Amino acid sequence: MSASTPPYRSRLLDVLRRLLVETRLQGVDPDSDDFLVGQQEILGRKTMLRGVLEESYRLCLALDQRYLRGPGKRIEIGAGTGLFRSYDSAVLCTDIKIGQHLNGVVDAQNMPFDSESIRTIYGIHCFHHLPDPAGFLRELGRVLVPGGGCILIEPYYGFVAKWLFSRLFDTEHFDKDQKDWRGTLEMTAMGGANQALSYLVFVRDRELLEREFPYLEIVHTSPLNNYLRYLTSGGLYFKQLLPSLAIPVLRIVETLLWPLRSIFALHHVVVVRRRTTQTDTTEC
């Protein structure tokens, strides 16, 4: 919440958040194992959200085939519910915390993989939770094979995304003016993150990224067009606002508003590739 937000508006937003938070997650510590179990239960009954996530997984796989090359493992970091492997069993689902539904525990800033052993790293809604993004980028340069890369889906930075994300969560914030990339000392695994981090690293400070990490290149970025269904579904934290019967109508509206997706989008995808030569070209 910004310092200029009137007190009465802050209280109103707090009340709305409490009313909209999934009953299963009310009062549950976001960093606890029970929080993840609760999210798995919520995902199991949210058809609309599962459809949005399925599109994200399939988009990641399509971008992998289009932009990346080389041998090696394919890893999802920050996998949370570990649903990705339901769509591609070859993907190893990992997280910072152990879980029976996961293939292993991986700290994205200090990965337990041999150098040049990974073809693709997928990260869906997890990059902004990294306290040391530069450490993660250095690890990409080490573990990725030449031509391999990382595909991230993160909060977008357009008008609607900025307005919504700066007000929606009380455990995270959205600050496009943060001076550096590092997280604060108050950050936890699930709390205190700046949801504008992908904007800072890959958009605002792109020249710095290319200078400090010359072995990496951004080869694709684009806003996602599933914002109505994602917002209506409530994600994994809030209650669904409309019945799943509304999915076809929401899809039609999203299609009609396709030219305006840079205004309304809530998330975007970024593909970062390890260069094979200094003459590799980018396409954004």
Side-chain angles (χ1 to χ4, degrees):
M1 196 69 58
S2 66
S4 60
T5 302
Y8 73 87
R9 187 175 299 174
S10 176
R11 290 193 294 270
L12 178 59
L13 289 172
D14 288 341
V15 171
L16 288 174
R17 275 196 293 261
R18 288 196 294 270
L19 290 174
L20 292 175
V21 169
E22 280 280 358
T23 304
R24 175 64 177 82
L25 299 180
Q26 290 179 1
V28 180
D29 182 355
D31 290 307
S32 68
D33 293 337
D34 188 42
F35 192 83
L36 179 57
V37 172
Q39 287 188 321
Q40 289 177 299
E41 295 173 2
I42 291 166
L43 183 59
R45 57 178 167 77
K46 279 193 172 183
T47 303
M48 189 181 298
L49 180 59
R50 289 201 307 275
V52 171
L53 289 177
E54 178 180 353
E55 287 182 6
S56 296
Y57 299 140
R58 297 198 185 285
L59 173 63
C60 287
L61 295 173
L63 292 173
D64 186 341
Q65 291 300 311
R66 180 176 180 180
Y67 291 106
L68 308 182
R69 53 190 178 272
K73 300 175 183 178
R74 291 183 292 126
I75 309 291
E76 182 186 16
I77 58 172
T81 57
L83 191 61
F84 203 148
R85 62 181 177 181
S86 299
Y87 301 94
D88 189 331
S89 59
V91 176
L92 300 179
C93 295
T94 72
D95 206 322
I96 191 67
K97 298 193 299 183
I98 194 169
Q100 293 183 349
H101 58 291
L102 300 174
N103 297 109
V105 176
V106 169
D107 178 352
Q109 299 154 139
N110 186 22
M111 292 186 259
F113 305 124
D114 293 335
S115 297
E116 298 190 356
S117 64
I118 305 297
R119 170 194 166 94
T120 313
I121 292 176
Y122 308 102
I124 299 178
H125 307 316
C126 71
F127 176 74
H128 62 282
H129 288 283
L130 299 178
D132 182 17
F136 171 64
L137 295 173
R138 285 191 292 270
E139 278 292 84
L140 290 185
R142 183 182 69 83
V143 303
L144 290 175
V145 300
C150 176
I151 302 174
L152 302 170
I153 291 180
E154 281 290 302
Y156 192 48
Y157 51 88
F159 174 79
V160 174
K162 177 183 177 181
W163 185 91
L164 189 65
F165 288 132
S166 63
R167 292 164 172 80
L168 194 59
F169 298 97
D170 56 0
T171 58
E172 299 179 16
H173 61 286
F174 191 95
D175 182 7
K176 293 175 67 174
D177 298 320
Q178 179 176 307
K179 291 184 178 181
D180 55 28
W181 300 350
R182 291 189 65 90
T184 64
L185 294 176
E186 292 76 23
M187 277 189 71
T188 62
M190 292 298 293
N194 182 2
Q195 296 184 90
L197 182 62
S198 63
Y199 163 78
L200 302 181
V201 175
F202 302 114
V203 182
R204 188 195 71 181
D205 296 341
R206 181 165 179 167
E207 291 185 3
L208 174 64
L209 171 71
E210 293 172 343
R211 184 170 65 251
E212 296 294 324
F213 306 93
Y215 44 82
L216 298 176
E217 59 175 344
I218 301 172
V219 294
H220 176 84
T221 65
S222 61
L224 304 189
N225 203 49
N226 53 21
Y227 50 89
L228 282 179
R229 282 171 292 141
Y230 179 85
L231 183 61
T232 302
S233 76
L236 285 170
Y237 192 64
F238 295 102
K239 297 173 182 176
Q240 187 164 308
L241 302 178
L242 293 174
S244 296
L245 291 174
I247 293 175
V249 176
L250 295 173
R251 282 181 179 275
I252 291 172
V253 176
E254 288 171 343
T255 301
L256 293 175
L257 294 178
W258 171 265
L260 301 176
R261 65 193 183 281
S262 61
I263 298 174
F264 294 116
L266 297 180
H267 299 92
H268 66 146
V269 61
V270 180
V271 183
V272 181
R273 184 170 65 196
R274 180 180 170 188
R275 294 180 184 272
T276 54
T277 68
Q278 292 301 313
T279 59
D280 280 346
T281 58
T282 63
E283 176 186 345
C284 293

